[in-house]
């Protein structure tokens, strides 16, 4: 029996679960797992439904749900199970390596179509994995020129998601708008603590006892986008900035990896500046 | 609008969510939160449903669900929101204190009806909280005699749950059977590591780098019942047995407290030797 | 054989460990555990030394160390092992209860001499434990008048440490100066995230995936003092503000308790705006 | 100024810190960081000392310490800072990939000299990193024959440490004896829970709420060697065996990586069946 995944986002209303489950039953679909949540502030209903059954028309089901649900509604049936991924990097290897290794062994939940870097130093490593590497320096260019080149590469790669794997340039609102809700960044602090530059130095100077990392969707406000995953590790007075950086890399890698997994499995919904995650 | 809580446990079958949500809609109930799970090994379906709506007959709803669901089925509508609790102790105060303080400030999610101890040492503390303390020594008695006294006290207290808050006697299968699925124990190790006596000594001798605690339902097999909550804390070579005991008390208290909260909010189902927890 | 605890803080210099261990050997003291750290930014050396041996003069040892170490130096031999504690509260019971229970069972590492509250509501609970409760309202008073009353109570209690156990008033620099390095606060966020008021509301609105608590020494800058302990717990989209508050209380209590333990065992040194902790 | 690392292990005795620090001072060495521990059960003293100073003879210092310390004593001055590593694998890639990536970017704290596998499937991946891969099948061979081949490869690689990166064969006591205290294994459970085969299946059947991984030195008793690092991750009733396996891989990789880091930085001492770790 085939598995069908249905994602629903619509205005909240009394009786939605009954409505949806009746529609699914009418299409010979049996709910095997269902998660739903109402964001009361936004008056929005979100659901992720796994069904079994293959005796139904996807178009009919889509039309029935899309038109029957309180508007505005957004229905997705069987989203692409293997997302296309573009990775942006600067010089640090640890997140990129994690992505490329999983890509190679087919455990990423997506396929990397290309890597682009504003330095050329990660090219040899990337090419070991037979992934195209595009070197796009930001030097002697306006931000607009720099991003135009990146967008051209993205245009030929057609990624579902762009992953900022320690990409140390700030993207313009114009760039971000073109991939709204589809750019994921790893920030090397426990947001909202230590936004901006040198978070480990800030952490060292404040004398914190934990450091963290945050994977979030990128919006036009730096470090302000919807948070997907956060984790921390303990530190103590013996940690200088460089020890924090070193320990931080481990947690950055793990956090970004977990965020990608959740997003690529269509478990993450965005509502306003937050995420709903059906783990 | 009133809140209604419905717990369902029945044989699994295609279309259960649709069936249940239709029944609820017919009784003017709107699902506000629903969690369900199928234990495939046991072929059992479990659901915890929160609804709003007050224009319905509880008896009618119960009968419709109980008779309409695949058998054997067990339906509970609006379980007692404030469980009655009996606490058994020996000499250690930390779990008992946590329970009595929460009881006093009405954050336990239940009410303590009495405390019974096989030593008398926690009486003064218990009585500070105006809770009756029953001293039932195990000395110079058969296990049967000892338990008969406890059962008499339980009989007059009529607890929904019996909490073994560091109660260091092993209860007989006969005792356990009378409160099946309703006795919660805190074991001072990360089960199934270090079952039985002196788990911290065992942990010290094995040189583990983490110690833990496990809250579980009591069955007739010692330390083998369904696990509710487990947590750990790191230790290192500087921890002797007494440091482990001290650190362990903190985690024991937190684990038991969390387990009680989950159980008292009717979030925990037992399936075979495991728990399903709708957090 | 007696145990001797020696705390040293002085200007850093080559050969300090050799110097100190020679002095101790000359006084027939055998080092059983030694922890030291150099804060290079501040050019300061810190050590906590446990020794065995009882055939020495404490005054002579003190004089030899104090005069022999690079200046400025601060030497403490056998600090008071049972600190005197004054607790300030407002209305929340959870941290106070943790302190009073440990105090009663002699596991606090100190003795509570009194509790003062700017509301009277925790009096009955405090008095169950035979601890004096002083009600000092802040209403219709200047901050100076309010603090004068608190200082009078402190004056008769002579506390080694003042614990702000969810005390919701900000102390003036004048108050803080009188107990410099001896006031410990529990802040209900992971500092420096969410300083100031309503951190859980801030956390809810930011959509964080972890919430935390921070125990720190109080300085004249609000929420800016040296951090002693921080811990976090995961949250998700189902947590409203009140669920965060509830979950947060558990972590606040645990964090404050751990911080007190470390401070009362003389394991915490302050250097600038940070702590050095010899766990 | 040069850094000197000194490792000491000897019979415990009064005055050892004074003795050692005097010897170091006599050799113009300044202690910058010192950690020591006495295993009272074994009556052994362990120390890891970092010094600055370069005006001394390593041989003289060694002789003075080795002969001056209570016997039996073991002194190591400036151990090889870059360990030689041989990696044994079966079919799983995740731990190997972590090692090879760190090796490539010089953040492993050692250099991989070769990889050997009882299947050939990880050869292409290994060779991407220009590391020799030796395929040594265990099929149609006695354990003795199989291990003889591995020992020949080890003989030409001369590793300081052999890492069992998900190597699914049990090594004989004879093999282990040749690399006593120098073979590190990653076991996919929280030892001593779930020793032996299929720990995730065991964990699933027991219904635990946490799964873990353990890095330990290999001794002739399966899964009984000194533990270096343990960590856990929470699981719940929705985790089948395959989800546990998947989640477990993340923690296995992290735990093995941390254990290697600690061992390669000479922070780990073995005492009986335990480790002392100066983090």
């Amino acid at each position: 029996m085939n598995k069908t995944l249905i994602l629903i986002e619509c205005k909240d209303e009394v009786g939605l679960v009954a409505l949806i489950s009746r529609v699914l039953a009418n299409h010979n679909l049996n709910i095997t797992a269902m998660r739903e949540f109402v964001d009361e502030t936004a008056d929005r209903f979100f659901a992720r439904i796994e069904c079994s059954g293959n005796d139904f028309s996807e178009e009919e089901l889509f039309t029935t749900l899309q038109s029957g649900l309180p508007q505005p509604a957004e229905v997705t049936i069987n989203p692409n199970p293997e997302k296309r991924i573009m990775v942006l990097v600067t010089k640090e290897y640890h997140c990129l390596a994690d992505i490329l290794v999983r890509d190679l062994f087919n455990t990423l939940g997506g396929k990397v179509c290309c890597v682009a870097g504003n330095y050329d130093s990660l090219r040899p490593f990337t090419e070991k994995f037979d992934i195209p590497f595009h070197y796009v320096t930001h030097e002697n260019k306006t931000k607009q020129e720099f991003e135009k080149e990146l967008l051209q590469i993205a245009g030929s790669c057609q990624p579902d998601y762009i992953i900022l794997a320690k990409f140390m340039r700030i993207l313009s609102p114009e760039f971000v708008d073109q991939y709204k809700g589809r750019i994921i960044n790893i920030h090397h602090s426990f947001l909202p603590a230590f936004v901006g530059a040198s978070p480990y130095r800030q952490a060292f100077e404040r004398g914190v006892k934990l450091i963290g990392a945050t994977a979030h969707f990128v919006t036009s406000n730096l470090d302000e986008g919807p948070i997907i995953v956060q984790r921390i590790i303990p530190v103590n007075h013996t940690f200088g900035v460089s020890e924090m950086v070193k320990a931080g890399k481990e947690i950055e890698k793990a956090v970004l990896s977990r965020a990608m997994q959740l997003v690529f499995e269509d478990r993450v919904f965005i509502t306003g500046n937050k995420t709903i995650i059906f783990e």
Side-chain angles (χ1 to χ4, degrees), chain A:
Chain A
M1 223 169 4
N2 285 341
K3 272 206 149 187
T4 293
L5 178 61
I6 301 170
L7 310 176
I8 290 174
E9 189 182 330
C10 64
K11 189 177 176 309
D12 189 32
E13 208 177 77
V14 167
L16 277 176
V17 172
L19 167 65
I20 293 165
S21 59
R22 195 173 56 239
V23 170
L24 297 184
N26 289 344
H27 286 76
N28 306 310
L29 284 163
N30 184 37
I31 296 171
T32 53
M34 172 164 183
R35 296 293 299 276
E36 87 293 313
F37 183 71
V38 173
D39 179 347
E40 294 183 358
T41 316
D43 195 32
R44 299 284 287 168
F45 171 90
F46 299 84
R48 183 184 191 278
I49 309 168
E50 295 175 17
C51 307
S52 58
N54 57 6
D55 183 18
F56 74 103
S57 149
E58 218 174 282
E59 295 93 308
E60 263 184 53
L61 175 62
F62 177 82
T63 310
T64 313
L65 282 174
Q66 182 68 52
S67 62
L69 291 167
Q71 298 302 315
E74 206 171 307
V75 174
T76 309
I77 300 175
N78 286 327
N80 177 13
E82 190 167 83
K83 316 308 186 210
R84 287 179 65 77
I85 314 299
M86 178 176 176
V87 185
L88 299 191
V89 296
T90 296
K91 287 177 175 173
E92 288 175 81
Y93 74 89
H94 57 291
C95 289
L96 176 65
D98 186 77
I99 293 170
L100 293 183
V101 166
R102 288 178 204 266
D103 184 60
L104 180 70
F105 288 101
N106 297 310
T107 55
L108 183 62
K111 283 313 285 179
V112 176
C113 51
C114 70
V115 176
N118 61 322
Y119 288 87
D120 204 29
S121 51
L122 292 169
R123 175 192 295 280
F125 181 73
T126 303
E127 292 181 346
K128 272 188 202 304
F129 291 83
D130 301 318
I131 300 289
F133 184 93
H134 303 276
Y135 169 39
V136 184
T137 181
H138 61 280
E139 285 178 13
N140 304 317
K141 286 177 197 163
T142 63
K143 174 167 284 210
Q144 210 183 359
E145 287 166 343
F146 174 62
E147 292 190 349
K148 198 180 159 193
E149 287 185 55
L150 291 178
L151 285 169
Q152 273 169 347
I153 295 164
S156 59
C157 165
Q158 293 290 319
D160 293 303
Y161 290 97
I162 296 177
I163 307 301
L164 309 188
K166 303 290 289 176
F167 179 65
M168 304 310 273
R169 310 296 301 173
I170 296 167
L171 295 171
S172 70
E174 291 70 36
F175 189 109
V176 170
D177 275 355
Q178 296 205 29
Y179 289 91
K180 209 169 137 66
R182 292 159 57 198
I183 308 178
I184 298 172
N185 184 43
I186 178 71
H187 182 79
H188 41 320
S189 87
F190 176 88
L191 290 176
F194 310 128
V195 299
S198 302
Y200 293 122
R201 173 153 293 283
Q202 292 182 59
F204 171 74
E205 281 166 6
R206 181 61 188 89
V208 293
K209 298 299 184 186
L210 301 171
I211 57 173
T214 303
H216 63 96
F217 288 110
V218 176
T219 59
S220 39
N221 294 320
L222 179 63
D223 299 339
E224 297 281 324
I227 292 170
I228 309 166
V229 176
Q230 299 190 294
R231 287 192 196 150
I232 57 87
I233 41 169
V235 293
N236 60 40
H237 62 273
T238 67
F239 282 67
V241 175
S242 65
E243 283 79 17
M244 286 190 182
V245 168
K246 192 174 166 191
K249 284 184 206 297
E250 304 296 318
I251 199 87
E252 291 163 22
K253 190 170 70 174
V255 162
L256 178 57
S257 174
R258 178 70 181 147
M260 288 189 295
Q261 189 194 347
L262 291 167
V263 170
F264 298 167
E265 291 179 356
D266 297 294
R267 296 181 179 281
V268 182
F269 290 76
I270 298 176
T271 180
N273 202 40
K274 301 184 188 180
T275 59
I276 294 162
I277 303 185
F278 296 129
E279 287 189 67

